[in-house]
Amino acid sequence: MADFDPDVAVGPLTLPLDAWHRARGGRMVDFAGYWMPVQFEGIIAEHLWTRESAGFFDVSHMGQLYVSGEGVEAALEAVLPIDLSTLPVGGVRYSLLLNEEGGILDDLMVTRWGTGFYLVVNGATKWDDIGHLREHLPDAVTINHLEDSALFALQGPKAFEALEPLVSGELPLSALTFMRGGSFKLGGVDAWISRSGYTGEDGFEIAVPAENATELANLICALSQVKPIGLGARDSLRLEAGLPLYGHDMTETIDPVSAELLFGINKRRRSQGGFIGADKVLPLIAAGALTRRVGLAIDGRMAAREGAKVLSGDTEVGAVTSGGFSPSLERPIAMAYVPVDLAAPGTSLSIDVRGRRLAASVVPMPFVPHRYHRKGAA
């Protein structure tokens, strides 16, 4: 298939579940170049349902890539700051796509699939990511864009209880722990399932053939534990979990040290380098960045949105990158970049929201504790 050309694209594109969302009352918006549901019954209700039961998210706008070929491991390590030598088959790892200045072009998930690697990148950046990889990977390495694959996320404390009876495979679903994946049959259809997600909850990401998307969405959402969830709740859930959003909390001018994302740069790579942007990032790791991404708890009920000024006294010291009302905590929260000497928990700051000064304090993240199903957990 020819590459997507944004100059000839007209309006938002549709995903395999477009009609399915509309039939269920999804309020559709243009997001990352696609029509996607922002909500079904309401953002707060959907948010709380996911925290209490299991929410079904359509994330088919994400870019799914399979990278393979001679020397693929070394080739990817020259681009990504990840240690692939310690990644087992089925292992999933978070990593970053950096530019030469150490700025973040995207964040992504990398999984070892047999002799190649399965990458999931952000929907809004996937075409640029593909171009960047093609530019920097050798000709012997092939990038397959898996456009015929849909991607779902099932998130929440009852996600395992809901999904387990629907799947079969060489291993039971219970064999998957956080950041592990495997091949299964879901409703008799081939599916790749990993125990991961973007809400801070236990849950799964599920890649299936796009032609089977509707029947499998029906199968999952017929369960009493599951309801479809829109983009609005996905955003409030990830904010409570302290997880950054590309284009807001991460950009090509923000480095991974300031962003508190060093877990995306494995230990061996921090010492050896050899990846794009290493000349800029490694000195920052050694010396420390000048700013840091922090969590802010805000007094009152008014939310501070992206771009709101953060002040120390009367001095502007940063800006909100993500903010909103936390349904779980019943108070407004935000993330911002501030100087490191103002980044300690308990530091008092304020936020200017349309001329009104809101008192805020630096707090640890995540705002709501993660509940991932890690290895060794009961």
Side-chain angles (χ1 to χ4, degrees):
M1 179 176 177
D3 286 349
F4 172 77
D5 185 346
D7 296 327
V8 299
V10 180
L13 303 174
T14 57
L15 296 170
L17 289 183
D18 186 81
W20 188 91
H21 294 311
R22 295 176 190 274
R24 280 153 185 78
R27 178 183 161 196
M28 307 299 283
V29 298
D30 180 357
F31 179 80
Y34 294 91
W35 286 116
M36 295 186 67
V38 67
Q39 65 181 54
F40 292 87
E41 61 177 293
I43 292 172
I44 292 178
E46 293 169 29
H47 177 113
L48 295 176
W49 179 269
T50 305
R51 287 275 184 249
E52 297 163 3
S53 191
F56 174 85
F57 300 80
D58 178 15
V59 290
S60 299
H61 66 298
M62 304 288 278
Q64 299 180 69
L65 315 175
Y66 180 60
V67 184
S68 61
E70 183 179 352
V72 63
E73 183 172 309
L76 272 179
E77 283 198 350
V79 178
L80 304 176
I82 190 171
D83 184 355
L84 294 174
S85 67
T86 60
L87 185 64
V89 173
V92 184
R93 232 170 242 169
Y94 176 88
S95 194
L96 301 161
L97 201 62
L98 304 175
N99 61 24
E100 296 286 355
E101 298 302 309
I104 303 171
L105 298 175
D106 200 7
D107 63 340
L108 65 155
M109 303 293 270
V110 182
T111 305
R112 187 185 289 275
W113 273 7
T115 58
F117 296 90
Y118 169 61
L119 278 56
V120 178
V121 301
N122 281 297
T125 58
K126 64 184 176 185
W127 300 106
D128 288 339
D129 291 355
I130 292 170
H132 183 84
L133 290 169
R134 285 181 173 157
E135 177 183 354
H136 292 284
L137 293 176
D139 292 342
V141 172
T142 300
I143 304 170
N144 289 315
H145 184 196
L146 307 180
E147 296 178 280
D148 295 329
S149 178
L151 189 64
F152 307 147
L154 187 65
Q155 300 283 293
K158 296 184 181 179
F160 175 81
E161 172 189 312
L163 187 61
E164 195 270 340
L166 304 181
V167 303
S168 60
E170 292 185 7
L171 295 173
L173 190 66
S174 60
L176 298 188
T177 53
F178 182 57
M179 300 295 267
R180 293 285 300 183
S183 296
F184 294 86
K185 293 283 188 181
L186 171 61
V189 176
D190 288 336
W192 175 264
I193 301 176
S194 64
R195 203 156 191 170
S196 56
Y198 193 47
T199 62
E201 294 289 339
D202 183 25
F204 302 88
E205 292 198 337
I206 306 163
V208 299
E211 63 183 8
N212 300 110
T214 298
E215 66 180 278
L216 295 176
N218 285 335
L219 179 70
I220 296 170
C221 289
L223 300 167
S224 61
Q225 303 98 323
V226 182
K227 288 184 179 181
I229 309 296
L231 290 170
R234 179 172 164 85
D235 189 56
S236 58
L237 289 159
R238 70 89 194 170
L239 177 58
E240 287 185 350
L243 300 174
L245 175 64
Y246 192 79
H248 302 264
D249 313 291
M250 298 174 285
T251 69
E252 61 184 51
T253 62
I254 294 175
D255 66 87
V257 184
S258 300
E260 294 280 282
L261 295 175
L262 281 181
F263 58 87
I265 304 178
N266 301 127
K267 183 177 179 180
R268 175 173 67 84
R269 308 309 307 283
R270 296 183 205 180
S271 61
Q272 295 182 359
F275 56 88
I276 295 173
D279 290 346
K280 301 291 185 178
V281 171
L282 298 188
L284 276 177
I285 294 174
L290 299 178
T291 61
R292 183 176 301 163
R293 178 171 62 94
V294 299
L296 297 172
I298 303 169
D299 291 353
R301 305 284 289 181
M302 181 180 289
R305 305 294 180 180
E306 181 180 2
K309 296 177 182 178
V310 178
L311 302 107
S312 176
D314 293 324
T315 303
E316 182 179 344
V317 295
V320 169
T321 54
S322 286
F325 189 82
S326 162
S328 301
L329 302 176
E330 298 185 324
R331 68 176 302 168
I333 57 175
M335 290 192 286
Y337 284 84
V338 300
V340 291
D341 60 345
L342 297 174
T347 302
S348 295
L349 299 168
S350 61
I351 303 175
D352 185 339
V353 178
R354 299 186 296 277
R356 180 176 174 181
R357 190 76 68 89
L358 306 180
S361 58
V362 177
V363 294
M365 292 191 288
F367 299 96
V368 173
H370 294 163
R371 295 196 286 186
Y372 303 131
H373 184 75
R374 298 187 183 277
K375 187 175 182 180

